[in-house]
Amino acid sequence: MLLEEKMFFFKTHAEKIKIKNEDSNEVYAPVNGKVVLLEDVEDVVFSQKILGDGAAVEPENGEVYSPVKGIVSVVFPTGHVVGITTAEGANIILHVGIDTVELKGKGFDVKVKQGDKVEAGQLLMKVDLPFVKKYHPATIMVILEKTDEFKSKCVGSKQIRAGERLLTLERIT
């Protein structure tokens, strides 16, 4: 493969990943890694599901992809949180790391802004994992914001690849 072809492949691969049989009721893994049940996360805000239900992933790399198709509803100035609202009205929160707000944005390169339309599998941010892990756990929480309209079911604890099904959403009203 020529250098130009390798560069094109890397750029294309880094900007979006392919999701097979995309379904609007599915929330996909934003990174490669090990799935952790939310109740096992070492932060009470997540383990007690104060923000909502979901799952967590211990990331193997720093490229974080959109777990759903929707509109970016929020990007924290520190870059460690991105919220996305799906067409069905589910609010999905990606929270990168525990106590990473203390890094004040250092180590986070966010590629989207509030109001952007995103596709499932689209690159949302790059995280300098070695830097973040030096100061805080880098666990990525994928949360269905508390609601009376939806519930979520996690695939369970296992190794997962970015773009594979992480959660299934079910409308309850």
Side-chain angles (χ1 to χ4, degrees), residues 64-105:
V64 180
Y65 298 95
S66 180
V68 293
K69 177 179 180 178
I71 307 270
V72 176
S73 55
V74 67
V75 176
F76 274 37
T78 53
H80 75 291
V81 175
V82 174
I84 301 169
T85 303
T86 69
E88 291 78 18
N91 292 314
I92 305 298
I93 302 166
L94 275 90
H95 190 287
V96 181
I98 296 173
D99 295 329
T100 48
V101 68
E102 296 171 4
L103 297 175
K104 299 180 179 164

Side-chain angles (χ1 to χ4, degrees), residues 17 28-35 56-67 94 96 123 125-127 129 138-142 158-164 166:
I17 54 170
Y28 302 98
V31 292
N32 298 337
K34 179 156 179 37
V35 177
V57 181
E58 293 296 340
E60 293 176 356
N61 58 42
E63 292 182 337
V64 180
Y65 298 95
S66 180
L94 275 90
V96 181
L123 183 67
M125 70 175 74
K126 290 186 178 183
V127 179
L129 279 184
T139 309
I140 298 176
M141 280 60 68
V142 181
K158 67 174 200 161
Q159 280 297 122
I160 199 163
R161 304 229 10 107
E164 292 179 345
L166 176 64

Side-chain angles (χ1 to χ4, degrees), residues 109-124:
D109 180 15
V110 181
K111 305 295 186 182
V112 295
K113 63 186 182 316
Q114 186 175 350
D116 284 355
K117 291 181 181 178
V118 293
E119 297 292 323
Q122 179 179 332
L123 183 67
L124 295 178

Side-chain angles (χ1 to χ4, degrees), residues 6 27 35 40 43 45-46 50 52 64 75 89 92 108 121 130 133 141 144 146-147 155 158 160-161 166 170:
K6 287 180 184 176
V27 178
V35 177
D40 294 335
D43 183 309
V45 171
F46 301 109
I50 293 169
V64 180
V75 176
I92 305 298
F108 297 92
K133 286 180 176 182
M141 280 60 68
L144 167 64
K146 272 197 173 176
T147 177
V155 296
K158 67 174 200 161
I160 199 163
R161 304 229 10 107
L166 176 64
E170 183 181 324

Side-chain angles (χ1 to χ4, degrees), residues 147-166:
T147 177
D148 293 332
E149 294 183 50
F150 297 94
K151 65 180 179 178
S152 67
K153 181 178 179 190
C154 179
V155 296
S157 204
K158 67 174 200 161
Q159 280 297 122
I160 199 163
R161 304 229 10 107
E164 292 179 345
R165 180 174 52 90
L166 176 64

